[in-house]
Structure formats: structure tokens, C-alpha cells
Amino acid sequence: MNEQTKLAQIKKLRPREKFIEEFTGRQVERPYWNIINFPDEECLEPANKHQRLELVKLLNAKKDLLSPKLRRLRRKLLWKSIKEIEEQTAVKYNSEACVGIVKTIKYDSFIQCKFTDRTLKPIIYQNFEMKPPYIRMQEELFKKVQDNYPHLNLKLTSKRKHPINFVYIHHDHLEALKALAELHFWPDIDLSSALEFPEFSCIVTYKKIIVGFGLMSPGEHLNDAYISYLLVRPGWRRCGIATFILYHLTQTCMTWNITLHVSPTNESILLYQKFGFKSHLLLRNFYDKYTPALSNQSKHALYMKLDRHS
């Protein structure tokens, strides 16, 4: 075997930089995180974010040829990068507020409104009789446990201990309301302006859970109002909660015209029509800026109005 064949075999077995250093005596400069060419060396973790991104690029370029050790390192670095992005872009919520849970609020003081100079009672309405699907499911599960395990001596009372509360907006509601609205509508919703008009709000709670809410604001013209948001959680619908919210909002300004926008595919159109709202315009691509590109929701909107001056 001649000398050239030996050199070719050695070059195949060893990385290029090591081959050059051994046969030429010249040390090749390289970044210590460039482990693609030195798979046998101890893997040093990059010291900063920039070096980690550079290493991820190198590993991604030859991810099909990596050893198991380098594959594990690649997954570890990718996971760190994803966590950093999530921490930078995620909205900082309280863990309970993320699911629409608020801390205990004592509704024991009257509310003074600056816009209409009204004095509001702390609670709009309490209901013990409404049975949304969520509460019916709880009662069915409790009854099944009671029937199957009679030795536990569980007693199912006919009257609920906790009512469904309809209250005005409170500053302690804001964080949970924002998380709930962004979950069902679109991101980056600011509800802080609703605190200026508590008389045009209705928040529905059961224990510490926010079940639904409706927010309205005065319009640009005199004796006009606009319903910004109306939402009831899935599992709490079809029991009269949204009906009462809309009834309360329309009764707070009995002589005003009320307008709103709603998607043509939204079932709440039937509810609005029951209260006398009529469709006036179809606005194309009204929700284009808010809905994701691959969403199945309609991007158009119906402009509906409750005209009390005609």
C-alpha cells in the first residue's frame, strides 16, 4: 500500500482539522463549540445565547449524521431556546388568573360611577336556580357516588350552597378577564378602560370562577353605546346567563341606541335578534387583523343596532 493510500484512509477516519494538525504541525483555530468536526471530544456547553444559537445551526445542518450524544445535546439546546422565547413573549399572568379564577372579593361596598354619577349596589343579582351543564354534571357525579357508595353517608341537598353572582366589574377581575378574553377572542386585549364605566358592565362568577362577562362603553355620539365584549364559558351556556347579561346592559341605558359587531357564524346573533337588534351592514375582513391566518372562523362581521329613536 503506497503512502497516498495510507493518507487517504487516515483522512477518512479523522476529522479534517486533526489531520492537518498532525501532518502539517499547524494548529487550526476553531471555536470551542464547533463540535461537528470533533465528535470524540468532550462536549462543552455554549457560554451565552449567541454561541448556543450558532451551535444549534451547526447541529441542524447535519442532524441526520449526528451521534446519539450530539442528538441529545441538540435537543437540550433547542429546548432552552424555546423556553427563552416563551419567557420573552408570554404574558405574565397569575397562575389562577390564567384559567379565569379570581381571589375572594367582598362585595360589601357601594360603587360610585363618575360617568353617570350613579351609586350602584355591590351585587346586581344572585341566582340559586340556574343549572348550567357544568353544575348538572357535578350533581350527576355526586349522585352516582352517593348511590354506589352509601357507606360514605353523603347528602345531596336540593338547594345549592353557592349562587351564580352577577356583579359589576372590579379591578381584581381584570387579570382573569384579560386571560379569558384572550383565550376566546384574540391576543393583546386591554380591558382596563372598562373600570371607568362600571355601570356598563356585568361580570358573572360562581365561587371564584369567572363564568362570563359583558362590557359596554359609551359611543362617540350622545345617547349611543357600544357592546365591546360578551362571553360565556363553554359548559355554562344555554341556561340564561348570556340573556341576563344582555338584558342588564340594555337596561342600563334604556333610551340609548346600542350597536355591536358580531361574526356571521356566531350563534349569539339569535340572542341579539330576540332583544330587537337588527343587521345593517356586512363588513368584509373586519376581523382580519385579529384571527389567525389558518383559522376556520369567519373574518367578516355583521354590524347590528338596537334603534330606540326610530
Side-chain angles (χ1 to χ4, degrees):
M1 184 181 295
N2 55 19
E3 191 69 21
Q4 291 183 351
T5 306
K6 289 182 180 181
L7 290 176
Q9 290 181 351
I10 294 173
K11 191 172 182 179
K12 287 182 180 179
L13 296 175
R14 298 181 181 180
R16 179 173 176 274
E17 284 81 1
K18 283 191 174 181
F19 176 81
I20 294 174
E21 288 178 359
E22 183 174 348
F23 287 92
T24 63
R26 178 171 59 85
Q27 187 172 2
V28 179
E29 295 183 0
R30 60 192 183 273
Y32 71 86
W33 68 83
N34 187 2
I35 58 174
I36 295 293
N37 297 321
F38 298 93
D40 298 329
E41 291 186 0
E42 187 68 25
C43 297
L44 297 175
E45 189 169 338
N48 54 48
K49 180 180 177 181
H50 175 71
Q51 292 178 350
R52 183 161 62 249
L53 292 176
E54 290 294 326
L55 178 55
V56 169
K57 289 180 182 178
L58 289 171
L59 293 173
N60 287 337
K62 297 184 179 181
K63 60 183 179 181
D64 297 332
L65 305 176
L66 298 179
S67 63
K69 186 176 182 179
L70 293 183
R71 289 178 184 175
R72 287 194 296 270
L73 177 64
R74 174 177 171 271
R75 288 195 296 268
K76 180 180 178 182
L77 296 177
L78 283 174
W79 176 252
K80 281 190 175 183
S81 301
I82 292 172
K83 293 298 289 182
E84 284 183 355
I85 294 173
E86 288 179 351
E87 290 175 0
Q88 292 174 2
T89 58
V91 181
K92 302 299 181 181
Y93 290 131
N94 185 327
S95 58
E96 291 185 344
C98 284
V99 291
I101 299 177
V102 295
K103 63 181 183 181
T104 303
I105 302 174
K106 293 183 178 180
Y107 302 103
D108 54 1
S109 59
F110 287 84
I111 303 170
Q112 188 65 37
C113 304
K114 297 179 181 179
F115 183 75
T116 57
D117 199 25
R118 299 177 187 171
T119 301
L120 307 175
K121 294 181 179 180
I123 296 178
I124 303 170
Y125 175 59
Q126 286 185 322
N127 188 290
F128 286 90
E129 305 301 327
M130 283 183 179
K131 288 190 176 182
Y134 179 83
I135 293 180
R136 290 204 304 269
M137 179 190 67
Q138 282 187 326
E139 292 180 352
E140 289 175 6
L141 290 174
F142 193 86
K143 192 174 185 305
K144 183 169 286 190
V145 172
Q146 187 181 19
D147 295 339
N148 294 339
Y149 304 94
H151 61 279
L152 296 177
N153 296 324
L154 299 175
K155 295 182 180 179
L156 181 64
T157 59
S158 58
K159 186 175 180 181
R160 290 205 313 267
K161 181 180 178 181
H162 300 281
I164 295 177
N165 296 315
F166 297 82
V167 298
Y168 295 103
I169 191 170
H170 190 275
H171 62 84
D172 289 335
H173 292 146
L174 273 184
E175 197 173 3
L177 285 177
K178 179 178 171 64
L180 195 60
E182 292 186 351
L183 177 65
H184 292 278
F185 292 117
W186 50 79
D188 300 327
I189 294 178
D190 185 15
L191 302 177
S192 58
S193 60
L195 293 174
E196 301 177 10
F197 315 105
E199 64 270 42
F200 301 138
S201 66
C202 184
I203 313 299
V204 189
T205 63
Y206 177 72
K207 298 181 181 179
K208 294 184 178 181
I209 304 173
I210 292 185
V211 173
F213 66 94
L215 300 176
M216 188 170 65
S217 59
E220 298 179 356
H221 306 288
L222 186 64
N223 297 335
D224 277 354
Y226 180 79
I227 296 179
S228 307
Y229 302 99
L230 197 155
L231 170 69
V232 178
R233 279 177 181 268
W236 295 82
R237 298 171 182 173
R238 300 187 183 281
C239 64
I241 292 177
T243 302
F244 185 87
I245 293 175
L246 189 57
Y247 170 78
H248 170 73
L249 294 180
T250 55
Q251 292 300 303
T252 54
C253 46
M254 296 185 64
T255 60
W256 292 14
N257 293 332
I258 303 176
T259 58
L260 57 89
H261 291 94
V262 62
S263 172
T265 57
N266 197 324
E267 296 179 354
S268 60
I269 292 178
L270 300 176
L271 175 64
Y272 297 135
Q273 290 176 343
K274 287 181 182 179
F275 279 82
F277 285 84
K278 295 182 179 180
S279 302
H280 286 260
L281 291 172
L282 175 63
L283 304 175
R284 295 185 178 276
N285 299 323
F286 183 81
Y287 296 114
D288 192 25
K289 296 180 181 179
Y290 309 109
T291 54
L294 300 178
S295 175
N296 293 328
Q297 298 178 358
S298 174
K299 297 182 179 180
H300 311 314
L302 286 175
Y303 175 76
M304 302 189 73
K305 183 177 182 179
L306 177 60
D307 194 350
R308 289 168 166 169
H309 297 160
S310 58

